[in-house]
Amino acid sequence: MSVQVGDVTFGNDLPFVLVSGPCQIESRDHALRLAEAIARMARVAGVPFVFKSSFDKANRTSAAGIRGPGIDEGLRVLSDVKAAIGCPVLTDIHAPEQAAPAAEAVDILQIPAFLSRQTDLLVAAGKTGAAVNIKKGQFLAPWDMAAAAGKVAATGNMRIILTDRGASFGYNTLVSDFRALPIMAETGYPVMFDATHSVQAPGGMGASSGGDRRFAPALARAALAVGAAAIFAEAHEDPDHAPSDGPVMLPLDGLPRLLEDLRRIDAVMKRLL
């Protein structure tokens, strides 16, 4: 099964798709600038690209954490990115009432990992007809994702993508079990690997999450070695000063080399040469 989103197709036996962008929308100009830069890098590498950014980071560790511009301004920015860059766009939703307006502005609705069992949210997303990316909760087994996907599919919407982002391993630590990708692929839906959130240390800095971005490229390579349809990797020109997820976002200037490595691994594993 494949999922078509604009001119990009997600499929476990197709060339991998890059889903990338800053963790949250910081401004219209910033979103457009990063979308243009990443789109150019992806085009040079020959990798299909979907822009990602969040209008609201509703699950920040601390109430004082910067959340983003909110749904109204955020969706305007994402609409502008889609129109200006010409790439599909993905964003998170956190409540059922956000599904319909978000689906008018973006191509893929993302269900955050913490909300991957929320029936009303999954059903609302499915009813829009937009593609729905469900992130596997850190607390879920990979085979549990068949039930989450089933809630969206029950609306008649089969445009479903499943994403792994690591599993809880004790306190403030995640571990990636690469058996999860082929297990989730048994559902028939395209499977994506979130390389940057998988190296996160949830709540690891007390008032915010930490992590170690050094390991994200290695995990991305491993994910393509077991047949992932897509790699989710947030990127930023100055991640150490980003308002959220700075410790795990990839520096923009390192993306071209990584994309070339990933494209070669993907081509070998899927026999695309």
Side-chain angles (χ1 to χ4, degrees):
M1 186 184 304
S2 61
V3 174
Q4 184 78 30
V5 182
D7 60 358
V8 171
T9 305
F10 291 79
N12 294 325
D13 58 350
L14 298 177
F16 89 96
V17 175
L18 172 69
V19 177
S20 185
C23 177
Q24 65 173 256
I25 297 168
E26 298 176 29
S27 70
R28 179 182 181 276
D29 288 345
H30 183 259
L32 285 166
R33 187 167 67 251
L34 260 67
E36 182 178 19
I38 300 171
R40 182 174 61 253
M41 294 172 187
R43 187 165 54 251
V44 169
V47 175
F49 168 60
V50 173
F51 179 74
K52 178 271 166 184
S53 200
S54 300
F55 58 78
D56 180 15
K57 300 301 293 182
N59 55 357
R60 296 303 306 272
T61 302
S62 168
I66 299 172
R67 293 178 51 164
I71 188 167
D72 294 335
E73 176 60 22
L75 293 181
R76 280 193 289 270
V77 169
L78 294 171
S79 293
D80 288 348
V81 168
K82 181 177 177 179
I85 308 302
C87 62
V89 175
L90 174 152
T91 199
D92 305 277
I93 58 171
H94 297 87
E97 60 270 19
Q98 294 178 342
E104 293 181 3
V106 306
D107 303 277
I108 305 174
L109 301 180
Q110 180 164 279
I111 308 300
F114 289 126
L115 302 177
S116 55
R117 289 185 57 168
Q118 295 299 104
T119 301
D120 291 347
L121 182 60
L122 290 161
V123 170
K127 286 181 176 178
T128 67
V132 180
N133 178 41
I134 312 172
K135 284 197 170 183
K136 182 181 78 65
Q138 301 92 321
F139 45 86
L140 291 179
W143 44 86
D144 292 334
M145 290 299 285
K151 295 177 181 180
V152 175
T155 69
N157 185 349
M158 306 300 289
R159 304 178 67 213
I160 299 167
I161 302 164
L162 303 178
T163 296
D164 184 62
R165 55 145 302 162
S168 295
F169 187 74
Y171 299 124
N172 304 123
T173 305
L174 299 174
V175 64
S176 291
D177 177 0
F178 287 100
R179 296 175 301 175
L181 300 178
I183 289 172
M184 291 197 298
E186 290 174 359
T187 62
Y189 300 114
V191 173
M192 178 156 56
F193 181 72
D194 183 343
T196 45
H197 287 102
S198 290
V199 297
Q200 190 181 63
M205 297 179 71
S208 63
S209 291
D212 193 337
R213 70 174 71 96
R214 292 179 301 162
F215 300 110
L219 296 187
R221 295 183 186 103
L224 289 179
V226 296
I231 295 296
F232 181 112
E234 291 181 338
H236 196 282
E237 79 281 10
D238 186 12
D240 288 333
H241 295 93
S244 60
D245 273 347
V248 301
M249 281 197 286
L250 298 177
L252 201 59
D253 58 8
L255 205 53
R257 172 64 183 273
L258 176 61
L259 287 178
E260 182 59 27
D261 287 350
L262 296 180
R263 186 191 61 78
R264 292 181 178 183
I265 294 169
D266 191 57
V268 170
M269 297 310 298
K270 294 175 181 171
R271 293 171 172 80
L272 299 171
L273 296 176

